[in-house]
Amino acid sequence: MERKHALSSVTHLRRPGGVASDGPGDRRAEQARTRVRLMIEITARAGAYRKGLVAAARRLSPEEAAILSDLERHGLQVPQLHDVLCGGHVLVDEPRLYEDWRFAEVSHERLSSHHRDIDKALYPDIGMRGYVVREKLHGRTAQGTWVQLEKTPAAFGGRKLPSVSDLRHLMDYVVYRITRSNVGPWGLSRMTERRPLYLSPSLAVPTSLTPPVARVLTQALRRIEESDDATAVSADLAARFPPPDREDLTGELGQSLSGRAGRGLFGNSEVWVTETLSRSAAAVLRESRVPPAVPLLQPGGRS
């Protein structure tokens, strides 16, 4: 099924070994890169980042745009983009992203200590370098995919001797131990693996309630429903048409909304509009609004 969102239409990057070709796919990819650049520029105006973020966004690769756009498609808002760029640990309840983010030309297997409950032989952690993400690291979880951006790439493992990059990575780890914050490409984030940023959580999971809890919860839901029974007609007429009497009100809890339900891309961020001042409009506004004097009528009808 074709994705509707422009950010998620980078179809030629979706599978390992995918080859870019001229055509609609390239146009959609460029639209995705442009949109992600605008998101980064917007969040850079309101947040504190290390220098060079906007310049790096101008060199954003299609693979980087695909990853960030997928996060946006799964509910990432502009204010949350700050934590992602600063190294926040992100969980997405979508296992398919693990394979979608494996790009044949730029991805490589990595060692990490994240999510040790996952079989790393079956699902190795995947790294990727870029101008904005610096070092992107992602892997599988029991329910989906995790991703985190790092300031410094590391290549531990095997018989390789530690490099300068590995030593810098160790320094970032020391900063993490001191500040309890992840060290990302453009700042620090408190969204660690123990306190992650959770996107598209699977809420519609069946759970059982004890009878006393279910009884109290049902009573509370009925009180809320009665207090919310507001109509545009008179109270006498509204009483003649009560809402449907459902036996189990608690069964409606936890049902997730379909589509891109929620607060939208900008969430609770401050959105502003910058416009060029119209000289004509300014001249009209500067004019005096005092009404003209009305002559008084004297006795006899003469002014």
Side-chain angles (χ1 to χ4, degrees):
M1 182 176 65
E2 184 179 356
R3 298 177 180 177
K4 297 180 180 180
H5 205 283
L7 286 175
S8 56
S9 301
V10 195
T11 54
H12 66 288
L13 295 174
R14 289 301 169 190
R15 293 289 180 266
V19 178
S21 60
D22 295 334
D26 281 346
R27 289 193 295 271
R28 289 193 294 266
E30 186 57 33
Q31 290 175 357
R33 294 169 66 185
T34 301
R35 185 178 175 89
V36 172
R37 290 191 194 104
L38 290 174
M39 291 173 56
I40 294 175
E41 290 177 4
I42 291 173
T43 189
R45 295 178 66 174
Y49 295 93
R50 293 190 179 98
K51 294 182 179 180
L53 174 58
V54 176
R58 299 191 186 102
R59 307 176 70 180
L60 185 75
S61 68
E63 293 84 0
E64 294 175 283
I67 293 172
L68 295 176
S69 62
D70 276 337
L71 293 179
E72 189 272 332
R73 182 171 58 87
H74 285 82
L76 180 73
Q77 301 168 352
V78 168
Q80 296 171 319
L81 181 59
H82 180 273
D83 276 296
V84 174
L85 296 174
C86 292
H89 194 84
V90 184
L91 300 180
V92 189
D93 279 347
E94 177 53 78
R96 189 176 60 179
L97 293 178
Y98 175 78
E99 294 296 337
D100 288 349
W101 293 345
R102 298 184 69 170
F103 307 110
E105 300 297 329
V106 294
S107 296
H108 57 272
E109 295 188 4
R110 266 277 311 272
L111 296 176
S112 79
S113 59
H114 297 292
H115 299 274
R116 299 180 181 178
D117 57 323
I118 299 299
D119 185 356
K120 300 295 184 175
L122 182 60
Y123 297 111
D125 295 335
I126 306 299
M128 184 192 82
R129 299 182 183 181
Y131 292 106
V132 172
V133 301
R134 291 286 181 89
E135 174 74 0
K136 180 276 308 169
L137 184 61
H138 85 271
R140 272 295 307 269
T141 67
Q143 302 295 331
T145 308
W146 65 269
V147 64
Q148 181 176 319
L149 307 186
E150 298 179 339
K151 178 184 176 183
T152 310
F156 296 112
R159 299 180 178 179
K160 294 182 60 176
L161 295 176
S163 63
V164 176
S165 179
D166 294 330
L167 297 178
R168 291 175 178 173
H169 191 85
L170 286 177
M171 294 175 60
D172 293 342
Y173 177 73
V174 173
V175 174
Y176 161 76
R177 296 292 296 181
I178 296 175
T179 64
R180 295 297 179 180
S181 299
N182 284 346
V183 181
W186 307 105
L188 302 179
S189 173
R190 302 286 291 182
M191 297 294 180
T192 63
E193 183 176 342
R194 293 186 178 182
R195 187 173 175 266
L197 174 62
Y198 208 165
L199 301 178
S200 297
S202 296
L203 299 178
V205 178
T207 57
S208 58
L209 299 175
T210 60
V213 174
R215 184 167 54 252
V216 174
L217 183 58
T218 300
Q219 294 173 355
L221 291 175
R222 290 193 183 280
R223 288 196 303 268
I224 294 174
E225 187 177 66
E226 292 175 358
S227 63
D228 286 345
D229 186 17
T231 62
V233 299
S234 64
D236 295 338
L237 184 58
R240 296 178 181 272
F241 299 92
D245 187 12
R246 298 175 298 280
E247 295 183 359
D248 184 16
L249 294 177
T250 60
E252 300 179 4
L253 296 178
Q255 296 182 355
S256 59
L257 300 177
S258 60
R260 290 178 52 80
R263 294 179 297 170
L265 174 62
F266 291 96
N268 59 350
S269 63
E270 296 181 359
V271 181
W272 58 89
V273 177
T274 303
E275 296 180 350
T276 303
L277 179 62
S278 172
R279 296 182 178 179
S280 300
V284 172
L285 294 175
R286 284 196 298 265
E287 291 182 357
S288 175
R289 297 186 180 182
V290 179
V294 178
L296 300 178
L297 294 179
Q298 297 180 357
R302 297 181 180 178
S303 58

